[in-house]
Amino acid sequence: MRGTMRAIAGLGLLVAAPAMAQPIVVADSGDSAWVLAAALVGLIASLGGFTLFHGRGRGETTGLAVVAASAITTLVFAIFGYSLIFGDGSAILGGPSNLMLGGLGTVVDGATISEAVFVFFQLALALFAVAALVSAVAPMARYGWLVPFAGLWVVIVYIPVARWVWAGWLTDLGALDYAGGIAVQISVGVSAFVVAMLLRNNVPGDEEKDIPAFGTVGAASVAIGWLALIGGSALGGSGDAAVAIVNALLSASAAIVTGMLIGGLKHRGYTPELVSAYGLAGLAAISAGASLLGVAGAILIGVVAAITATGAIAFTGTFGLGSGGKAFVIHGAPAIVGALAFPVFMLPGFGGTGFAEGSSLGTLLTQQGIAVLAVALWAAVATVIAALIVSFVVPMKRAD
């Protein structure tokens, strides 16, 4: 995200300003207000929304786990996380230039918001990821294990992945991730699947406490929060933000309609939970390329997301993974397919933006494939390591 903005900024300066008359860029209050508002909506909706969506009246400790894990994430992000993601360093990991949020610039390179605003927006993305993961596995895991695991997951999974995708070697490679389809959605979905597999014999059986209305309200809250974060990823109140939000809505709508058609054709019908899952899958699928598609491409991404989610439901259902499997259905699988497929829908024939000079469909597909594979593999392996490290101190599975 930030690497892309730097590239755009450099090109703009070369074209628009003489060498001896570089313009002084200052933070724009309107752009800053938009990004701050987007982060706040994302933060409010995701923290409460995921608790309702996955808890559904059953998990008394889910909300507590989300709050505790979010507090740890906030501290980690401020002390060294932001610096390791966006600070000066290598293509693998940032350095100490922004430890304790020191050394922040007046504005973000290539944007018209202050770096302090950018920090808060990036924190909102990190908290969305943690809330999604923790709430999904909370019904299966021991609280004393889950909270420290979440903190370690941020350190060894989320921070490296975010660095690679937005300011590291995957950025240099040319991979695109507009709004966290790879860095957030894939890492969460794969990690939740891995933890669910480790805990698959510990899925709670208290369905009598299930309150479907909680799940529906939670899904709507999560969707609103992620739409805000998608729009905020433009780093300003621009036309790109509006395009990204509209495309995301189109993708979610197409995924819902397609999912309902699939359910009707299979004669098994559909539930509010299933419809909500399809909508969230549509948002996950388009996140990586939300601002780069036209109407046709956004709708087709939603169709692909619904088909992918249907397959993922069947796949995870064979293991009995509970809400951990559901997280892979709505985050991991559609985000993987969406990040790989959206370059096809960037073609002008689908109303897309086309490709940058020197790039092509084949090149971008290769770059996206490398990014998806690298993030998915790292998330899977590092999640197992984090889970086992914490389990040496506190057992993973609940006693009851």
Side-chain angles (χ1 to χ4, degrees):
M1 180 186 294
R2 195 176 181 185
T4 303
M5 295 302 296
R6 285 174 175 168
I8 294 173
L11 179 61
L13 290 176
L14 287 173
V15 172
M20 300 300 294
Q22 297 288 345
I24 299 175
V25 180
V26 296
D28 180 87
S29 59
D31 287 340
S32 297
W34 165 250
V35 177
L36 283 172
L40 281 170
V41 173
L43 188 62
I44 294 171
S46 63
L47 294 182
F50 278 119
T51 298
L52 290 174
F53 182 57
H54 288 303
R56 296 169 63 86
R58 293 169 296 172
E60 291 80 1
T61 62
T62 299
L64 180 59
V66 169
V67 170
S70 297
I72 292 173
T73 300
T74 300
L75 294 175
V76 167
F77 191 86
I79 295 170
F80 60 85
Y82 179 80
S83 189
L84 293 182
I85 297 173
F86 293 104
D88 295 333
S90 71
I92 302 298
L93 209 58
S97 58
N98 300 120
L99 291 178
M100 302 294 291
L101 299 183
L104 298 181
T106 305
V107 295
V108 176
D109 292 344
T112 55
I113 62 172
S114 70
E115 191 163 8
V117 173
F118 183 74
V119 168
F120 181 58
F121 182 76
Q122 289 297 326
L123 174 59
L125 286 172
L127 290 174
F128 182 97
V130 169
L133 176 62
V134 170
S135 62
V137 301
M140 298 180 287
R142 185 187 293 265
Y143 174 81
W145 172 87
L146 181 58
V147 174
F149 162 76
L152 187 57
W153 181 86
V154 171
V155 175
I156 70 174
V157 177
Y158 184 80
I159 288 175
V161 162
R163 173 68 177 190
W164 301 349
V165 172
W166 286 326
W169 69 277
L170 291 176
T171 305
D172 298 336
L173 180 68
L176 300 177
D177 185 12
Y178 178 80
I182 299 175
V184 176
Q185 299 282 0
I186 291 179
S187 61
V188 167
V190 171
S191 295
F193 178 82
V194 169
V195 174
M197 287 294 290
L198 294 173
L199 296 169
R200 63 185 180 275
N201 295 323
N202 209 46
V203 177
D206 52 354
E207 287 81 3
E208 68 277 3
K209 297 182 181 180
D210 190 14
I211 304 176
F214 279 21
T216 303
V217 173
S221 180
V222 170
I224 293 170
W226 190 244
L227 281 170
L229 294 174
I230 287 175
S233 296
L235 301 185
S238 63
D240 280 349
V243 168
I245 292 174
V246 170
N247 280 344
L249 280 171
L250 289 170
S251 178
S253 299
I256 290 172
V257 173
T258 303
M260 293 175 71
L261 289 173
I262 292 173
L265 290 174
K266 287 189 172 183
H267 304 290
R268 70 180 184 187
Y270 38 81
T271 64
E273 180 182 11
L274 191 59
V275 172
S276 299
Y278 279 122
L280 294 176
L283 293 179
I286 201 171
S287 295
S291 70
L292 304 172
L293 306 178
V295 170
I299 292 173
L300 289 171
I301 281 286
V303 173
V304 171
I307 296 172
T308 302
T310 300
I313 290 171
F315 173 69
T316 57
T318 61
F319 299 103
L321 301 182
S323 57
K326 184 165 65 175
F328 181 73
V329 169
I330 65 176
H331 298 293
I336 289 172
V337 174
L340 293 173
F342 86 82
V344 175
F345 301 117
M346 284 176 62
L347 292 168
F350 293 106
T353 60
F355 307 105
E357 185 177 353
S359 184
S360 65
L361 176 59
T363 300
L364 188 53
L365 285 173
T366 300
Q367 293 164 345
Q368 294 299 106
I370 293 172
V372 167
L373 182 62
V375 169
L377 285 177
W378 181 264
V381 173
T383 296
V384 171
I385 293 172
L388 294 179
I389 288 175
V390 179
S391 69
F392 287 141
V393 180
V394 182
M396 295 176 62
K397 296 183 178 181
R398 299 182 310 168
D400 51 349

